[in-house]
Amino acid sequence: MGKLTVSAVKAATRPSRHADGATLYLNVKRSGAKSWVQRVAVDGRRHDLGLGPYPVVSLAKARRRAADNCALIADGGDPLARKRMAKVSTFREAAQLIHEANVERWKTGRHTDRWLQLVENAVPAFGEKAIDRIGREDVLGALVPIWTTKPEYARKFRQRLRIILDWAVAHGYVSQNFAGDAIRGALPAMPAVKEHHRTLRYAENGRAIEAIENCRASKSVKLLWAVPRPDRGPKVARPGRPRRTKLTSTRNSGTSLHP
């Protein structure tokens, strides 16, 4: 049985902690505000748990909450984690917290802008769901439609999802990251990303032409670089061979050269 009574709690005005016994205390502030605090030990470390303000939380209710926490600790549970779970962030809030924690390191620019853009694109898929309510079906529903049609975007999208859900795992909101290995077998094969050759600088053109002329490829293969194609622009003359010219007469000098 606790030391405090209903009348004693109501009459308490001295700023202090008034013990009810065991782990429960009534905390009275200088302003006169009162609240319930429970002092517990979890994994060998002492913590103060807020159980709510008085009179919203009565003496009887505070005792029940304290007893529940003691029973949970005795069974190997963590009332701190349970309290955090009661304040689970939404997907949008989690993304914003991660952005705020990293914005100084990311500075400004394209990375920050793309992070926020991808997060906003994810919100319609997940809505304003609490992050612990986002499951395997939600993640696959957002990724599968774009996985093969927009592979590069889908890859980055999944990367951001993994970061956000990793944060949720680390904070105890979820036990598994459904954007990670848990869905690997459910995603279709992604098309290989084509690597384009870099553009040569003007100063490198001479060496490139020389390399083509001296390579062991057949003449027909060597000719390919000079064949006009829509994506290559105008026809380029083969190196090492003079361009044809023609003579035409002029009234003033008699003849002139035209390529």
Side-chain angles (χ1 to χ4, degrees):
M1 192 70 181
K3 299 177 181 179
L4 295 175
T5 63
V6 173
S7 58
V9 171
K10 186 176 181 179
T13 57
R14 180 172 56 89
S16 180
R17 280 193 174 184
H18 304 265
D20 184 52
T23 61
L24 182 62
Y25 296 84
L26 175 68
N27 187 41
V28 181
K29 296 183 178 180
R30 293 183 181 276
S31 63
K34 304 174 186 179
S35 61
W36 298 103
V37 178
Q38 184 181 17
R39 178 161 290 182
V40 298
V42 180
D43 295 331
R45 300 183 63 180
R46 190 176 67 183
H47 301 275
D48 287 346
L49 294 176
L51 301 182
Y54 174 85
V56 175
V57 177
S58 65
L59 173 60
K61 185 178 290 186
R63 284 173 174 168
R64 287 196 299 271
R65 290 182 178 181
D68 289 343
N69 287 335
C70 289
L72 182 63
I73 293 172
D75 292 337
D78 184 355
L80 294 170
R82 185 171 66 178
K83 188 174 182 179
R84 285 195 300 267
M85 290 294 290
K87 299 180 179 179
V88 174
S89 301
T90 64
F91 179 86
R92 184 197 297 272
E93 290 169 345
Q96 290 173 342
L97 288 172
I98 295 171
H99 177 263
E100 291 170 4
N102 291 278
V103 68
E104 289 298 323
R105 181 170 59 87
W106 290 345
K107 303 298 181 183
T108 56
R110 296 174 64 186
H111 184 78
T112 300
D113 295 340
R114 286 178 177 176
W115 168 269
L116 294 175
Q117 181 183 4
L118 283 168
V119 167
E120 286 301 316
N121 289 341
V123 170
F126 301 143
E128 293 297 330
K129 281 188 176 182
I131 199 164
D132 67 325
R133 304 294 295 174
I134 296 174
R136 189 189 316 268
E137 295 78 11
D138 299 300
V139 174
L140 288 175
L143 289 175
V144 170
I146 62 173
W147 193 248
T148 55
T149 58
K150 301 178 181 178
E152 188 62 25
Y153 175 81
R155 187 182 292 106
K156 292 179 180 178
F157 190 22
R158 183 188 182 190
Q159 180 186 22
R160 302 311 195 269
L161 293 181
R162 292 183 73 162
I163 291 173
I164 294 171
L165 293 178
D166 272 343
W167 177 91
V169 171
H171 285 78
Y173 295 130
V174 298
S175 59
Q176 189 173 9
N177 187 338
F178 286 116
D181 293 338
I183 61 170
R184 180 185 299 175
L187 293 171
M190 181 174 283
V193 177
K194 296 181 180 180
E195 296 185 3
H196 300 284
H197 297 291
R198 69 179 181 86
T199 302
L200 290 176
R201 294 190 296 270
Y202 180 78
E204 298 176 305
N205 288 342
R207 283 180 296 172
I209 292 171
E210 183 179 357
I212 293 171
E213 289 297 312
N214 295 330
C215 72
R216 294 184 176 182
S218 64
K219 291 183 178 180
S220 58
V221 172
K222 291 181 181 181
L223 281 171
L224 289 176
W225 73 276
V227 174
R229 282 171 41 184
D231 59 336
R232 286 186 177 179
K235 182 177 179 179
V236 180
R238 291 188 64 193
R241 297 179 66 177
R243 299 178 67 182
R244 294 182 179 180
T245 60
K246 62 179 180 179
L247 294 175
T248 58
S249 60
T250 61
R251 294 180 179 179
N252 296 329
S253 58
T255 61
S256 64
L257 289 175
H258 292 274

